[in-house]
Amino acid sequence: MNTPPSATKACRSAVRAEASWVLCLRSETPNFTPDVEAAAERIKQTSERVLALSKENGLIWLEAYEKMLDGVLKLEEDTAKDLSSDWVEKFVSTQADSISATSQAYLGAFKDRLK
């Protein structure tokens, strides 16, 4: 691959500028020693906070999803009752019960993991 001379010159210039900045920073702070332990502790605290908030938001989302699903299943059952057909009502009721039981087990497992 052929790099245009102007691009190569610009890259070299940028590298020199970066190197100059690093040297300047080092010369201005000769006794600079990073506190690695303090930085690691701040990172750990931030990670723990992010994890806690993620769990909290996950639980809120799961509960909202569960309420929405219950509403949809209730709407299906009510609609089936209005059709005045016993077999349709029985079919939809059985389907709703199945979905409800499956979702309770599935969402319950997720909730337990997030607690």
Side-chain angles (χ1 to χ4, degrees):
M1 181 170 113
N2 291 333
T3 307
S6 59
T8 304
K9 189 181 277 187
C11 288
R12 286 185 186 145
S13 176
V15 169
R16 275 192 226 110
E18 181 70 20
S20 298
W21 180 78
V22 170
L23 290 173
C24 177
L25 182 61
R26 284 187 181 169
S27 66
E28 289 179 7
T29 56
N31 296 327
F32 176 73
T33 54
D35 189 355
V36 176
E37 289 182 23
E41 184 61 31
R42 287 192 303 272
I43 291 169
K44 180 182 173 189
Q45 289 173 352
T46 301
S47 296
E48 288 172 352
R49 181 73 177 137
V50 167
L51 182 61
L53 289 173
S54 297
K55 286 182 175 184
E56 184 180 326
N57 289 336
L59 283 171
I60 291 169
W61 185 88
L62 286 174
E63 288 170 2
Y65 180 79
E66 193 171 27
K67 286 179 184 177
M68 182 274 311
L69 185 60
D70 288 341
V72 168
L73 294 176
K74 183 169 178 6
L75 178 65
E76 279 185 15
E77 289 178 325
D78 291 345
T79 303
K81 286 178 186 174
D82 290 342
L83 292 176
S84 301
S85 176
D86 290 339
W87 74 269
V88 172
E89 184 178 344
K90 183 69 174 168
F91 177 78
V92 171
S93 177
T94 303
Q95 178 200 22
D97 290 344
S98 174
I99 291 173
S100 181
T102 304
S103 69
Q104 284 179 358
Y106 187 72
L107 296 175
F110 274 123
K111 286 180 183 179
D112 289 344
R113 293 289 310 249
L114 292 175
K115 290 180 181 178

